[in-house]
Every structure is written in structure tokens, then in C-alpha cells.
Amino acid sequence: MIFVCKTLLKNTKINGITLFPFILLKKIEDRQNPILINHEKIHLRQQLELLVIFFYIWYVVEYYYWMIKLKNQYLAYRYISFEREAYAKEGDLQYLKTRKLWSFWKYLS
């Protein structure tokens, strides 16, 4: 389910965020952005694979690992395995039809 939350994401650089089972978008026109929606749907699949709670725990742990190692918030975010998979495959709108279980694993460095 997709919601537009202008006020919630207003003062952030975030265009979209997935909080299972919802996709929250900053702008109404982003509902028509297939790349952004696909990126967020990839996160929905990742969250399901890890029973949601373990996704969030892993996401935060991995973020802080990269933050300590790289000392850069943006790079730490981009190095998270879940984000690496989502960014790598967001343009492939058929990806979720053929995606194998735990595909994010190959994006761990």
C-alpha cells in the first residue's frame, strides 16, 4: 500500500521509505515513478525475507558498521547491502519476478 506523507518526510532528503507493509512517498507525483516504486518494493521483499524485524536490526547494524568504517553518512547508507541491491536493480521492473531468496546477500562486502 502506497501513501503520500508530505509532512512526515518534509524536512528530509528522503523521497520514499518502506515501513512494512507500507511505502511512504514525499511527493504525490512519485506515485507515477516506476523506478522509485520498484526500489521500495525490493525493500518490501527484503523485509519479508527477514521477517521484518530482523531486516530493521540488520539494516541499522550494517549502517553503523559502514558509518564507523567510512565516516560518511551518505556513503554508509549507500553501502548497506539492502540499498545496494535496491539501487542496482531498481531500473529492472521485472526483477522481483525472478529474484531469488536472499539476493541481497551478494551485495555484502
Side-chain angles (χ1 to χ4, degrees):
M1 188 172 279
I2 300 172
F3 292 104
V4 177
C5 300
K6 294 177 188 177
T7 54
L8 182 66
L9 300 175
K10 181 180 175 184
N11 295 319
T12 70
K13 295 178 184 178
I14 298 169
N15 291 324
I17 189 168
T18 301
L19 300 171
F20 189 84
F22 307 108
I23 295 173
L24 308 176
L25 301 174
K26 185 184 234 175
K27 299 179 268 180
I28 197 161
E29 57 267 22
D30 282 339
R31 291 177 70 101
Q32 306 305 317
N33 181 339
I35 307 265
L36 177 60
I37 299 301
N38 195 46
H39 179 104
E40 299 304 332
K41 284 182 177 180
I42 291 168
H43 287 318
L44 282 174
R45 184 72 59 85
Q46 294 165 338
Q47 291 173 13
L48 278 173
E49 287 174 347
L50 291 169
L51 306 175
V52 183
I53 188 65
F54 297 110
F55 170 88
Y56 294 118
I57 292 168
W58 189 324
Y59 193 102
V60 169
V61 168
E62 197 172 343
Y63 173 80
Y64 282 107
Y65 168 80
W66 288 115
M67 186 60 191
I68 290 165
K69 189 168 183 168
L70 301 171
K71 297 176 181 19
N72 180 300
Q73 290 178 335
Y74 179 72
L75 285 178
Y77 157 75
R78 287 301 297 251
Y79 271 66
I80 297 168
S81 57
F82 303 117
E83 293 299 341
R84 291 175 68 195
E85 178 189 12
Y87 278 110
K89 300 299 183 176
E90 67 186 7
D92 181 356
L93 302 182
Q94 302 303 310
Y95 177 64
L96 288 173
K97 292 180 181 176
T98 59
R99 182 183 182 272
K100 293 188 176 21
L101 192 63
W102 291 57
S103 288
F104 68 88
W105 196 261
K106 39 185 156 177
Y107 294 92
L108 285 169
S109 302

